[in-house]
Amino acid sequence: QVQWAESGGGSVQAGGSLRLSCEVSGYIYMTYIKDKYALGWFRQQPGKEREGVAAIDVDGNTYYTDSVKGRFTISQDNAKNTLYLQMNDLKVEDTAMYSCAIETPPDLVAGPTEIMWGREFSYWGPGTQVIVAS
């Protein structure tokens, strides 16, 4: 299994900042994923498809969707098994439910998947709501 503990969402004025956190645990993550595959953040706005926002691999290489480049920073603390997303200069269009996910090898995929950075992600966190007011 994979368990997530997400936090950091909330309401903020446009131009403000939030920091999201996801602590990951569970047998599948600790045995097969940790230190091998990437972690990522996705978001979904009402009535829209889920969108890949940012990802980080085991070497610290990062990916960002164009709309957040220069404003969002993804990072991870391997000792704490925690993924972060620092979001600065937030815009109204950043309003969404943000969820963590892990890059998953084909033989471990369970449930719905999404592609980001050419990688398949699954094992979704519960999500944390971000609301940016104008």
Side-chain angles (χ1 to χ4, degrees), residues 4 9 16 19 27 30 35 41 61 63 70 75 84 88 95 101 110 124:
W4 295 99
R19 189 192 194 204
Y27 175 78
M30 299 302 290
D35 298 328
W41 287 97
N61 299 308
Y63 162 87
S75 61
Y84 302 100
N88 298 329
T95 295
W124 302 96

Side-chain angles (χ1 to χ4, degrees), residues 18-58:
L18 286 172
R19 189 192 194 204
L20 307 183
S21 299
C22 266
E23 182 178 358
V24 58
S25 60
Y27 175 78
I28 288 179
Y29 173 74
M30 299 302 290
T31 304
Y32 301 109
I33 305 297
K34 181 178 168 64
D35 298 328
K36 298 180 180 69
Y37 294 95
L39 301 176
W41 287 97
F42 289 74
R43 66 185 179 187
Q44 189 167 23
Q45 299 167 325
K48 293 189 176 181
E49 298 288 323
R50 186 154 47 195
E51 172 191 28
V53 176
I56 185 167
D57 69 13
V58 295

Side-chain angles (χ1 to χ4, degrees), residues 1 12 17 51 57 80-81 87 102 104 114:
Q1 305 91 333
V12 66
S17 298
E51 172 191 28
D57 69 13
K80 297 181 179 179
N81 297 321
M87 305 186 295
I102 59 175
T104 314
E114 297 284 349

Side-chain angles (χ1 to χ4, degrees), residues 112-126:
T113 64
E114 297 284 349
I115 302 296
M116 173 171 57
W117 203 14
R119 303 163 191 242
E120 190 167 36
F121 287 79
S122 66
Y123 293 102
W124 302 96

Side-chain angles (χ1 to χ4, degrees), residues 61-76:
N61 299 308
T62 57
Y63 162 87
Y64 297 95
T65 194
D66 286 345
S67 63
V68 307
K69 285 180 180 177
R71 301 188 296 122
F72 290 12
T73 302
I74 189 171
S75 61
Q76 60 183 348

